[in-house]
Amino acid sequence: MADVMRIAIGQFSDPSEDILRFAAQLGVSGVVLNTPRLPGAVRWEAEDLVRLRQRVEAYGLRIESIENVPTHFYDRAMLGLEGAQEQIENYQATLRHVGAAGIPILGYHWMPNGVWRTEGAATRGGARVTAFDLAQADTAVRTHGGEFGADILWANYERFTDAVLPVAEASGVRMALHPDDPPVASLGGVARIMRSFEGFDRAMRTADSPNNGLNFCMGCWSEMGGGALAAMRHFLNRRRIFYVHFRDVQGAAPAFNECFLGEGNVDAAAAMRTLYDGGFTGFLIDDHVPGMIDDTPWGHRGRALATGQMQGLLMALQAEAAGGGATPDCGEECC
Ligand SMILES: [Mn+2]
């Protein structure tokens, strides 16, 4: 099960009965938990992670990945502030515990000040989506009290990955790096280094381990403006894509808005084919989704649509591979 291309669902921190049953009804392979609220102010313990895995498995699902420890577990390591070494040691412990709990992937990012959005927008039929426009952003704010340039972020990335990747390897945990969102040079005084093909190429060469790869957020790659599928092919060929956030945007940095699959910059069918033909053995999840009529805050309706689109695209490719693409014979002479 773990080695075939598959569709999962994600983006929640509380594995409620409602969400886990919904996931089971959708027929997905498993779930991605987004910063689950576990005990522990500086690291996670194995027993809590085991309990989380067992809860998900009780619904016939698996934890495909946990995406991101709380940012305050490693923000000082990202910025190189006092306490960085202690955070790195705690991160190493969390990795050991994630591995011991049988959870295969820990997602991470290199954004000390997180995802930024400006005023929301509407897409098709008035569905609500998030948007970013650098012209609207508060560029004067200093989220960490000063300037942290790209050189600092890179040096700290190297220090961090040198310390944690050997532990990830020994613990059987793969670490999946998400792009900076939005992919602009700097926000709040903190440089954004994982915002381009060059950045990811450097990251994968700097931190060269089979346990370091990409959480390929197609939405973020779309925000970068062109080259999303070429980047997908590049890292797929190197077996560095561990999983995919399958979403899209209209426009590109410095100004874009999220949208439904099929109305954005990326040809969703071509993206699915790129992964399938490239021998991808990981999973795809929805990401942020447009808020539809009568939707819940989590977005059951929007997520059902995105998940169904992904499942449909994958089913078509599987059917094509199984049947050689032949048209079923109806017995009539006409065709
Ligand atoms: Mn994403």
Side-chain angles (χ1 to χ4, degrees):
M1 179 180 181
D3 295 315
V4 296
M5 182 170 162
R6 58 202 184 277
I7 309 300
I9 195 166
Q11 310 300 67
F12 56 92
S13 55
D14 175 22
S16 65
E17 178 178 0
D18 172 271
I19 288 179
L20 293 176
R21 284 187 62 204
F22 185 73
Q25 290 171 0
L26 287 173
V28 294
S29 61
V31 303
V32 174
L33 281 148
N34 206 297
T35 317
R37 286 186 285 272
L38 296 173
V42 296
R43 68 181 206 192
W44 288 336
E45 305 302 330
E47 63 203 36
D48 298 313
L49 292 157
V50 168
R51 208 171 294 128
L52 191 63
R53 177 175 60 74
Q54 289 170 339
R55 172 162 179 79
V56 170
E57 287 176 351
Y59 291 82
L61 302 161
R62 67 198 301 264
I63 296 186
E64 297 277 18
S65 165
I66 293 181
E67 203 166 297
N68 309 335
V69 298
T71 301
H72 67 261
F73 279 17
Y74 71 120
D75 55 347
R76 305 186 80 78
M78 286 192 269
L79 294 164
L81 299 174
E82 192 187 340
Q85 185 56 32
E86 194 180 331
Q87 286 193 334
I88 287 171
E89 287 164 18
N90 281 320
Y91 201 99
Q92 290 172 322
T94 294
L95 275 170
R96 287 189 200 98
H97 300 159
V98 168
I103 293 164
I105 299 180
L106 182 62
Y108 73 113
H109 61 76
W110 210 247
M111 289 181 285
N113 57 24
V115 174
W116 286 44
R117 288 291 186 267
T118 50
E119 194 183 335
T123 186
R124 193 170 75 196
R128 300 300 307 173
V129 293
T130 76
F132 179 79
D133 183 350
L134 186 58
Q136 287 181 20
D138 180 358
T139 50
V141 70
R142 290 293 170 266
T143 60
H144 291 80
E147 297 289 334
F148 297 85
D151 289 351
I152 292 175
L153 275 281
W154 276 118
N156 295 332
Y157 181 72
E158 193 166 343
R159 178 184 173 194
F160 176 79
T161 51
D162 277 353
V164 304
L165 283 171
V167 177
E169 290 169 15
S171 306
V173 177
R174 293 187 295 160
M175 294 180 59
L177 176 62
H178 188 279
D180 292 346
D181 187 4
V184 295
S186 178
L187 284 173
V190 181
R192 308 203 138 213
I193 58 174
M194 305 302 175
R195 63 183 168 88
S196 64
F197 175 82
E198 291 70 28
F200 270 86
D201 194 46
R202 177 172 171 180
M204 292 301 122
R205 283 187 284 107
T206 299
D208 187 9
S209 158
N211 288 58
N212 192 32
L214 277 65
N215 168 1
F216 191 94
C217 182
M218 196 168 81
C220 292
W221 284 92
S222 180
E223 292 164 16
M224 294 175 204
L229 294 189
M232 180 184 272
R233 243 175 253 117
H234 176 89
F235 292 110
L236 182 63
N237 287 340
R238 285 155 185 77
R239 295 291 171 252
R240 288 299 184 101
I241 297 183
F242 294 166
Y243 66 102
V244 176
H245 281 179
F246 206 69
R247 75 163 165 91
D248 205 356
V249 300
Q250 296 166 328
F256 58 84
N257 60 267
E258 298 189 356
C259 63
F260 289 106
L261 290 168
E263 62 170 7
N265 302 323
V266 179
D267 180 334
M272 190 68 76
R273 186 179 285 284
T274 296
L275 292 164
Y276 190 83
D277 290 348
F280 181 55
T281 54
F283 60 92
L284 299 86
I285 60 166
D286 55 340
D287 195 3
H288 325 142
V289 293
M292 301 180 75
I293 293 287
D294 278 345
D295 223 331
T296 60
W298 180 59
H300 286 72
R301 293 182 176 205
R303 291 180 189 282
L305 174 61
T307 303
Q309 286 180 294
M310 287 188 272
Q311 290 172 324
L313 288 170
L314 181 56
M315 285 167 72
L317 292 167
Q318 289 168 334
E320 185 182 271
T327 306
D329 187 0
C330 67
E332 300 292 331
E333 288 299 318
C334 58
C335 52

